[in-house]
Amino acid sequence: MNDAPSCPDNAPRLVSHALSLARSGRVPGPRFPAGPQVTPWPGPALPVPAPLDRLLRLSLAGDRLRPAASAGALHPVNAHLLLGPGTGLPPGRYAYQPVTHRLHPRGAADGDAPPGALAVLTVTARRTVSQYGHRGWPLLLLDAGHAAAALTLAGAPAWCPDADGALLAAAAGLPHGPAAPEQALAGVRLTPGPDDALDRWAGYPPGAAPAPGTRPVPPVLRAAREVLDALTASGPTTWRPPGVPDLPDTALAARRSAPPPFPGVPPAARLATILATASTASTASTASTATCSGDTGPARPDALSWELVRADDPRAPWRPGDLAVRAARQEWLAGTGALLLAHGCPDDADPARVRRDHLAAGYAVGAAQATAAALGVASRPVGSWQRGPHGPAHLVHALALGTATEGNTSR
Protein backbone atom coordinates (compact mmCIF):
# COMPACT_ATOMS: atom_id res chain seq x y z
CA MET A 1 0.00 0.00 0.00
CA ASN A 2 2.99 2.32 0.36
CA ASP A 3 4.55 1.84 -3.07
CA ALA A 4 2.72 4.82 -4.60
CA PRO A 5 4.36 8.17 -3.78
CA SER A 6 2.33 10.44 -1.51
CA CYS A 7 2.36 13.96 -2.91
CA PRO A 8 -0.62 16.21 -3.73
CA ASP A 9 -0.24 15.82 -7.50
CA ASN A 10 -0.29 12.08 -7.10
CA ALA A 11 -3.41 11.90 -4.90
CA PRO A 12 -5.63 10.16 -7.51
CA ARG A 13 -3.08 7.39 -8.10
CA LEU A 14 -2.39 7.01 -4.38
CA VAL A 15 -6.12 6.70 -3.60
CA SER A 16 -6.79 4.38 -6.55
CA HIS A 17 -3.98 2.07 -5.43
CA ALA A 18 -5.23 2.05 -1.83
CA LEU A 19 -8.84 1.39 -2.90
CA SER A 20 -7.78 -1.52 -5.08
CA LEU A 21 -5.79 -3.03 -2.23
CA ALA A 22 -8.60 -2.55 0.31
CA ARG A 23 -11.03 -4.35 -2.03
CA SER A 24 -8.65 -7.19 -2.76
CA GLY A 25 -8.66 -10.56 -1.01
CA ARG A 26 -5.30 -9.89 0.62
CA VAL A 27 -5.49 -10.74 4.31
CA PRO A 28 -4.46 -7.93 6.72
CA GLY A 29 -1.61 -8.46 9.11
CA PRO A 30 0.30 -8.66 11.22
CA ARG A 31 -1.59 -6.83 13.94
CA PHE A 32 0.06 -4.30 16.23
CA PRO A 33 -0.99 -2.52 19.47
CA ALA A 34 -3.97 -0.21 19.05
CA GLY A 35 -2.91 2.16 21.80
CA PRO A 36 -5.23 3.76 24.36
CA GLN A 37 -8.99 3.60 23.89
CA VAL A 38 -9.20 7.40 24.03
CA THR A 39 -6.66 10.20 23.76
CA PRO A 40 -5.24 10.95 27.24
CA TRP A 41 -5.69 14.72 27.33
CA PRO A 42 -4.02 16.53 30.24
CA GLY A 43 -5.65 19.18 32.36
CA PRO A 44 -9.00 19.42 34.16
CA ALA A 45 -12.02 17.36 33.17
CA LEU A 46 -15.08 19.61 33.03
CA PRO A 47 -18.72 18.51 33.08
CA VAL A 48 -20.49 18.82 29.74
CA PRO A 49 -22.64 21.98 29.89
CA ALA A 50 -26.41 21.55 29.94
CA PRO A 51 -27.02 22.74 26.33
CA LEU A 52 -24.83 19.88 25.02
CA ASP A 53 -25.28 17.19 27.66
CA ARG A 54 -28.18 15.29 26.09
CA LEU A 55 -26.78 15.57 22.56
CA LEU A 56 -23.38 14.11 23.44
CA ARG A 57 -24.75 11.52 25.85
CA LEU A 58 -27.11 10.09 23.20
CA SER A 59 -24.53 10.12 20.40
CA LEU A 60 -20.93 9.52 21.44
CA ALA A 61 -20.79 8.80 25.18
CA GLY A 62 -19.88 5.43 26.63
CA ASP A 63 -17.15 2.90 27.18
CA ARG A 64 -16.26 0.22 24.62
CA LEU A 65 -19.92 -0.07 23.60
CA ARG A 66 -21.31 3.29 22.50
CA PRO A 67 -24.42 4.50 20.67
CA ALA A 68 -22.53 4.99 17.39
CA ALA A 69 -21.39 1.72 15.81
CA SER A 70 -17.71 1.19 15.05
CA ALA A 71 -15.78 -1.56 13.26
CA GLY A 72 -14.41 -3.94 15.86
CA ALA A 73 -15.77 -1.65 18.62
CA LEU A 74 -12.46 0.23 18.28
CA HIS A 75 -14.05 3.71 18.14
CA PRO A 76 -11.32 5.74 16.40
CA VAL A 77 -13.47 8.88 16.05
CA ASN A 78 -12.66 11.86 18.28
CA ALA A 79 -14.77 14.99 18.74
CA HIS A 80 -13.12 18.38 19.22
CA LEU A 81 -15.68 20.94 20.33
CA LEU A 82 -15.40 24.59 19.34
CA LEU A 83 -17.60 26.50 21.79
CA GLY A 84 -18.59 30.12 21.30
CA PRO A 85 -20.55 32.43 23.59
CA GLY A 86 -23.73 31.05 25.10
CA THR A 87 -22.75 27.39 25.20
CA GLY A 88 -22.30 27.08 28.95
CA LEU A 89 -18.48 27.22 29.09
CA PRO A 90 -15.95 29.96 28.34
CA PRO A 91 -15.39 30.25 24.56
CA GLY A 92 -12.60 28.00 23.37
CA ARG A 93 -11.60 24.58 22.11
CA TYR A 94 -12.38 21.45 24.10
CA ALA A 95 -11.64 17.75 23.57
CA TYR A 96 -14.57 15.48 24.36
CA GLN A 97 -13.78 12.37 26.41
CA PRO A 98 -16.61 9.91 25.66
CA VAL A 99 -15.77 7.34 28.34
CA THR A 100 -16.06 9.86 31.19
CA HIS A 101 -18.45 12.24 29.36
CA ARG A 102 -16.21 15.18 30.16
CA LEU A 103 -14.56 18.06 28.28
CA HIS A 104 -10.85 18.91 28.44
CA PRO A 105 -9.95 22.57 27.67
CA ARG A 106 -7.49 22.94 24.80
CA GLY A 107 -7.28 26.72 24.59
CA ALA A 108 -9.43 29.77 25.23
CA ALA A 109 -10.86 32.06 22.54
CA ASP A 110 -11.49 35.79 22.80
CA GLY A 111 -14.85 37.54 22.76
CA ASP A 112 -15.00 37.48 18.95
CA ALA A 113 -15.42 33.70 18.84
CA PRO A 114 -18.31 32.63 16.60
CA PRO A 115 -21.52 31.96 18.51
CA GLY A 116 -22.76 28.41 18.81
CA ALA A 117 -21.02 25.06 19.08
CA LEU A 118 -19.22 22.99 16.45
CA ALA A 119 -17.56 19.60 16.51
CA VAL A 120 -14.63 18.66 14.30
CA LEU A 121 -14.53 14.88 13.91
CA THR A 122 -11.05 13.40 13.66
CA VAL A 123 -9.84 9.81 13.67
CA THR A 124 -6.97 8.12 15.44
CA ALA A 125 -6.13 5.78 12.57
CA ARG A 126 -3.94 3.51 14.69
CA ARG A 127 -6.94 2.13 16.59
CA THR A 128 -8.57 0.68 13.48
CA VAL A 129 -5.55 -0.01 11.27
CA SER A 130 -3.95 -2.04 14.08
CA GLN A 131 -6.62 -4.69 13.49
CA TYR A 132 -7.75 -4.19 9.89
CA GLY A 133 -4.49 -3.20 8.21
CA HIS A 134 -4.87 -2.08 4.58
CA ARG A 135 -8.66 -2.41 4.90
CA GLY A 136 -8.69 0.07 7.78
CA TRP A 137 -8.89 3.46 6.09
CA PRO A 138 -12.35 2.90 4.47
CA LEU A 139 -13.61 1.79 7.89
CA LEU A 140 -12.33 5.04 9.40
CA LEU A 141 -14.47 7.01 6.94
CA LEU A 142 -17.50 4.81 7.63
CA ASP A 143 -17.02 5.23 11.38
CA ALA A 144 -16.82 9.01 11.00
CA GLY A 145 -20.10 8.87 9.09
CA HIS A 146 -21.66 6.80 11.88
CA ALA A 147 -20.53 9.36 14.47
CA ALA A 148 -21.90 12.28 12.43
CA ALA A 149 -25.25 10.51 12.09
CA ALA A 150 -25.35 9.83 15.83
CA LEU A 151 -24.92 13.55 16.48
CA THR A 152 -27.60 14.67 14.02
CA LEU A 153 -30.02 12.00 15.27
CA ALA A 154 -29.54 13.49 18.75
CA GLY A 155 -30.35 16.98 17.49
CA ALA A 156 -27.33 18.52 15.77
CA PRO A 157 -28.78 20.79 13.05
CA ALA A 158 -26.22 20.35 10.24
CA TRP A 159 -23.06 18.58 9.17
CA CYS A 160 -20.25 19.18 6.69
CA PRO A 161 -18.79 16.07 5.01
CA ASP A 162 -16.60 17.82 2.46
CA ALA A 163 -14.55 20.58 4.12
CA ASP A 164 -10.82 20.73 3.42
CA GLY A 165 -8.90 18.65 5.96
CA ALA A 166 -6.40 21.43 6.58
CA LEU A 167 -9.26 23.83 7.38
CA LEU A 168 -10.89 21.34 9.74
CA ALA A 169 -7.59 20.73 11.54
CA ALA A 170 -6.84 24.46 11.80
CA ALA A 171 -10.31 25.15 13.17
CA ALA A 172 -9.76 22.45 15.80
CA GLY A 173 -6.28 23.84 16.51
CA LEU A 174 -4.64 20.54 15.63
CA PRO A 175 -1.57 19.54 13.61
CA HIS A 176 -2.37 18.60 10.02
CA GLY A 177 -0.91 16.06 7.63
CA PRO A 178 -0.13 12.35 7.49
CA ALA A 179 2.39 12.65 10.34
CA ALA A 180 -0.24 14.09 12.70
CA PRO A 181 -1.67 11.72 15.34
CA GLU A 182 -5.25 12.52 14.24
CA GLN A 183 -6.75 13.21 10.80
CA ALA A 184 -9.74 15.58 10.50
CA LEU A 185 -12.57 14.22 8.33
CA ALA A 186 -15.84 16.10 8.94
CA GLY A 187 -17.58 18.88 10.83
CA VAL A 188 -20.88 18.87 12.70
CA ARG A 189 -22.79 21.96 13.82
CA LEU A 190 -24.03 21.12 17.32
CA THR A 191 -26.11 24.27 17.68
CA PRO A 192 -27.12 26.96 15.16
CA GLY A 193 -24.27 29.22 14.10
CA PRO A 194 -22.73 31.16 11.20
CA ASP A 195 -21.71 29.43 7.97
CA ASP A 196 -18.16 30.79 8.22
CA ALA A 197 -17.55 29.44 11.72
CA LEU A 198 -14.84 26.98 10.63
CA ASP A 199 -12.91 29.75 8.87
CA ARG A 200 -13.17 32.01 11.90
CA TRP A 201 -12.00 29.30 14.28
CA ALA A 202 -9.11 28.53 11.94
CA GLY A 203 -7.86 32.08 12.55
CA TYR A 204 -7.07 31.35 16.19
CA PRO A 205 -3.63 30.09 17.23
CA PRO A 206 -3.27 26.30 17.56
CA GLY A 207 -4.65 24.73 20.69
CA ALA A 208 -3.12 22.12 22.94
CA ALA A 209 -2.14 19.12 20.83
CA PRO A 210 -2.14 15.44 21.78
CA ALA A 211 1.08 14.23 23.37
CA PRO A 212 3.49 12.95 20.70
CA GLY A 213 3.20 9.22 20.21
CA THR A 214 6.13 7.06 21.24
CA ARG A 215 5.02 3.89 19.46
CA PRO A 216 6.54 3.03 16.08
CA VAL A 217 4.44 3.82 13.02
CA PRO A 218 4.16 0.67 10.88
CA PRO A 219 4.17 1.21 7.10
CA VAL A 220 0.48 0.24 6.82
CA LEU A 221 -0.48 2.92 9.36
CA ARG A 222 1.64 5.55 7.63
CA ALA A 223 -0.01 4.60 4.32
CA ALA A 224 -3.53 4.88 5.80
CA ARG A 225 -2.76 8.36 7.09
CA GLU A 226 -1.43 9.37 3.68
CA VAL A 227 -4.63 8.17 2.02
CA LEU A 228 -6.85 10.10 4.45
CA ASP A 229 -4.73 13.19 3.87
CA ALA A 230 -5.13 12.81 0.09
CA LEU A 231 -8.89 12.29 0.40
CA THR A 232 -9.39 15.53 2.34
CA ALA A 233 -7.03 17.74 0.34
CA SER A 234 -9.83 20.05 -0.85
CA GLY A 235 -13.51 20.69 -0.31
CA PRO A 236 -16.26 23.34 -0.58
CA THR A 237 -17.29 23.49 3.14
CA THR A 238 -20.98 22.86 2.47
CA TRP A 239 -23.23 22.65 5.54
CA ARG A 240 -26.03 20.19 4.92
CA PRO A 241 -29.29 19.46 6.76
CA PRO A 242 -29.42 16.22 8.76
CA GLY A 243 -31.89 14.27 6.62
CA VAL A 244 -32.46 11.83 9.50
CA PRO A 245 -35.72 10.79 11.20
CA ASP A 246 -36.93 12.20 14.50
CA LEU A 247 -36.60 9.21 16.84
CA PRO A 248 -37.34 8.96 20.58
CA ASP A 249 -34.48 9.14 23.04
CA THR A 250 -35.19 5.56 24.11
CA ALA A 251 -34.41 4.31 20.61
CA LEU A 252 -31.19 6.32 20.41
CA ALA A 253 -30.04 5.08 23.80
CA ALA A 254 -30.92 1.44 23.06
CA ARG A 255 -29.41 0.99 19.60
CA ARG A 256 -26.63 -1.57 19.52
CA SER A 257 -25.23 -4.03 17.00
CA ALA A 258 -26.88 -7.42 17.51
CA PRO A 259 -24.78 -10.57 17.84
CA PRO A 260 -25.61 -12.98 15.00
CA PRO A 261 -27.49 -14.94 13.97
CA PHE A 262 -30.78 -13.12 13.43
CA PRO A 263 -32.31 -15.17 10.60
CA GLY A 264 -35.92 -14.02 10.65
CA VAL A 265 -37.06 -11.67 7.88
CA PRO A 266 -38.57 -8.52 9.43
CA PRO A 267 -41.98 -7.32 8.18
CA ALA A 268 -41.90 -5.71 4.75
CA ALA A 269 -43.18 -2.38 6.03
CA ARG A 270 -40.34 -2.10 8.54
CA LEU A 271 -37.72 -2.99 5.95
CA ALA A 272 -39.18 -0.37 3.61
CA THR A 273 -38.91 2.25 6.35
CA ILE A 274 -35.26 1.34 7.00
CA LEU A 275 -34.47 1.50 3.28
CA ALA A 276 -36.17 4.88 2.95
CA THR A 277 -34.25 6.19 5.96
CA ALA A 278 -30.90 5.23 4.40
CA SER A 279 -31.77 6.78 1.05
CA THR A 280 -33.00 10.02 2.60
CA ALA A 281 -30.04 10.31 4.95
CA SER A 282 -27.50 9.78 2.20
CA THR A 283 -28.94 12.71 0.24
CA ALA A 284 -27.61 14.87 3.07
CA SER A 285 -24.20 14.45 1.47
CA THR A 286 -24.75 13.08 -2.03
CA ALA A 287 -27.49 12.08 -4.44
CA SER A 288 -28.80 8.54 -4.02
CA THR A 289 -31.33 6.05 -5.32
CA ALA A 290 -33.08 3.13 -3.63
CA THR A 291 -34.44 -0.21 -4.86
CA CYS A 292 -35.85 -3.36 -3.29
CA SER A 293 -34.54 -6.84 -4.11
CA GLY A 294 -35.56 -7.97 -7.55
CA ASP A 295 -36.03 -4.36 -8.72
CA THR A 296 -33.66 -3.58 -11.58
CA GLY A 297 -34.63 0.06 -11.94
CA PRO A 298 -32.06 2.57 -13.23
CA ALA A 299 -29.36 3.83 -10.89
CA ARG A 300 -27.29 6.96 -11.48
CA PRO A 301 -23.64 6.05 -12.08
CA ASP A 302 -22.46 9.09 -10.11
CA ALA A 303 -24.67 8.47 -7.06
CA LEU A 304 -24.67 6.27 -4.01
CA SER A 305 -27.53 3.78 -4.39
CA TRP A 306 -29.30 1.54 -1.89
CA GLU A 307 -30.70 -1.95 -2.29
CA LEU A 308 -32.60 -4.18 0.11
CA VAL A 309 -32.04 -7.93 -0.32
CA ARG A 310 -34.41 -10.29 1.49
CA ALA A 311 -33.32 -13.86 2.23
CA ASP A 312 -36.80 -15.16 1.34
CA ASP A 313 -37.21 -13.30 -1.97
CA PRO A 314 -36.97 -15.72 -4.92
CA ARG A 315 -36.50 -12.78 -7.30
CA ALA A 316 -33.28 -11.64 -5.62
CA PRO A 317 -30.20 -12.17 -7.83
CA TRP A 318 -28.21 -13.09 -4.71
CA ARG A 319 -28.87 -13.97 -1.09
CA PRO A 320 -27.12 -12.84 2.10
CA GLY A 321 -25.14 -16.08 2.24
CA ASP A 322 -23.79 -15.50 -1.28
CA LEU A 323 -22.22 -12.24 -0.08
CA ALA A 324 -20.43 -13.63 2.97
CA VAL A 325 -17.21 -14.33 1.08
CA ARG A 326 -17.22 -10.72 -0.15
CA ALA A 327 -17.51 -9.36 3.41
CA ALA A 328 -14.10 -10.53 4.66
CA ARG A 329 -15.57 -14.03 4.92
CA GLN A 330 -18.07 -13.13 7.60
CA GLU A 331 -20.01 -16.37 7.31
CA TRP A 332 -22.63 -15.25 9.81
CA LEU A 333 -24.21 -13.22 6.99
CA ALA A 334 -25.73 -16.47 5.73
CA GLY A 335 -27.94 -16.42 8.83
CA THR A 336 -29.49 -12.97 8.41
CA GLY A 337 -32.98 -12.17 7.22
CA ALA A 338 -32.07 -9.22 4.98
CA LEU A 339 -29.23 -6.97 3.89
CA LEU A 340 -29.33 -3.26 3.19
CA LEU A 341 -26.57 -2.65 0.63
CA ALA A 342 -24.88 0.63 -0.33
CA HIS A 343 -23.46 0.66 -3.87
CA GLY A 344 -21.03 3.34 -4.99
CA CYS A 345 -17.40 4.40 -5.28
CA PRO A 346 -16.32 2.57 -8.45
CA ASP A 347 -12.72 1.46 -8.73
CA ASP A 348 -11.78 4.54 -10.75
CA ALA A 349 -13.50 7.04 -8.43
CA ASP A 350 -11.67 10.30 -7.83
CA PRO A 351 -10.57 11.13 -4.26
CA ALA A 352 -13.52 13.47 -3.62
CA ARG A 353 -16.00 10.73 -4.48
CA VAL A 354 -14.17 8.09 -2.46
CA ARG A 355 -14.45 10.33 0.60
CA ARG A 356 -18.03 11.39 -0.14
CA ASP A 357 -19.41 7.91 -0.76
CA HIS A 358 -17.82 6.37 2.32
CA LEU A 359 -18.84 9.19 4.67
CA ALA A 360 -22.35 9.20 3.18
CA ALA A 361 -22.68 5.42 3.46
CA GLY A 362 -21.58 5.44 7.09
CA TYR A 363 -23.91 8.35 7.83
CA ALA A 364 -26.89 6.65 6.20
CA VAL A 365 -26.26 3.26 7.82
CA GLY A 366 -25.99 5.03 11.18
CA ALA A 367 -29.43 6.54 10.62
CA ALA A 368 -30.81 3.23 9.34
CA GLN A 369 -29.53 1.32 12.36
CA ALA A 370 -31.19 3.77 14.75
CA THR A 371 -34.43 3.36 12.80
CA ALA A 372 -34.09 -0.42 13.01
CA ALA A 373 -33.71 -0.14 16.78
CA ALA A 374 -36.85 1.98 17.01
CA LEU A 375 -38.74 -0.66 14.99
CA GLY A 376 -37.45 -3.61 17.02
CA VAL A 377 -35.32 -5.00 14.16
CA ALA A 378 -31.97 -6.60 14.97
CA SER A 379 -29.12 -5.10 12.95
CA ARG A 380 -25.35 -5.07 12.51
CA PRO A 381 -23.25 -2.91 10.14
CA VAL A 382 -20.85 -4.64 7.75
CA GLY A 383 -17.97 -2.56 6.44
CA SER A 384 -15.21 -4.66 4.85
CA TRP A 385 -16.25 -5.51 1.28
CA GLN A 386 -13.94 -7.09 -1.26
CA ARG A 387 -14.26 -7.85 -4.94
CA GLY A 388 -15.40 -11.33 -5.88
CA PRO A 389 -17.53 -13.44 -8.17
CA HIS A 390 -20.57 -13.42 -5.88
CA GLY A 391 -22.94 -10.49 -5.83
CA PRO A 392 -22.83 -6.89 -7.02
CA ALA A 393 -19.78 -4.78 -7.70
CA HIS A 394 -18.73 -1.69 -5.76
CA LEU A 395 -20.21 -2.43 -2.36
CA VAL A 396 -19.33 0.32 0.11
CA HIS A 397 -21.28 -0.53 3.25
CA ALA A 398 -24.17 -2.69 4.45
CA LEU A 399 -26.54 -3.23 7.35
CA ALA A 400 -27.52 -6.80 8.19
CA LEU A 401 -31.13 -7.02 9.39
CA GLY A 402 -33.29 -9.70 10.95
CA THR A 403 -35.26 -10.86 13.94
CA ALA A 404 -33.35 -12.17 16.94
CA THR A 405 -33.61 -15.75 18.08
CA GLU A 406 -34.57 -16.59 21.65
CA GLY A 407 -31.84 -15.55 24.04
CA ASN A 408 -30.12 -13.47 21.38
CA THR A 409 -30.48 -9.78 22.13
CA SER A 410 -28.75 -6.66 20.88
CA ARG A 411 -25.68 -5.47 22.70
Side-chain angles (χ1 to χ4, degrees), residues 39-42 80 93 95 105-107 172-176 180-182 206-213:
T39 303
W41 290 97
H80 294 273
R93 299 183 177 107
R106 295 188 43 245
L174 294 168
H176 173 66
E182 301 179 15

Side-chain angles (χ1 to χ4, degrees), residues 83-86 90-92 108-116 194 196-204:
L83 304 186
D110 61 31
D112 293 329
D196 65 347
L198 283 174
D199 296 278
R200 292 168 64 180
W201 278 105
Y204 285 96

Side-chain angles (χ1 to χ4, degrees), residues 38-100:
V38 293
T39 303
W41 290 97
L46 306 178
V48 176
L52 301 176
D53 180 78
R54 172 192 167 275
L55 189 154
L56 292 175
R57 192 176 296 279
L58 289 175
S59 57
L60 303 180
D63 205 328
R64 184 174 182 273
L65 297 178
R66 305 180 193 176
S70 172
L74 294 166
H75 296 288
V77 181
N78 315 297
H80 294 273
L81 273 54
L82 318 180
L83 304 186
T87 54
L89 283 174
R93 299 183 177 107
Y94 298 81
Y96 178 59
Q97 219 282 27
V99 174
T100 59

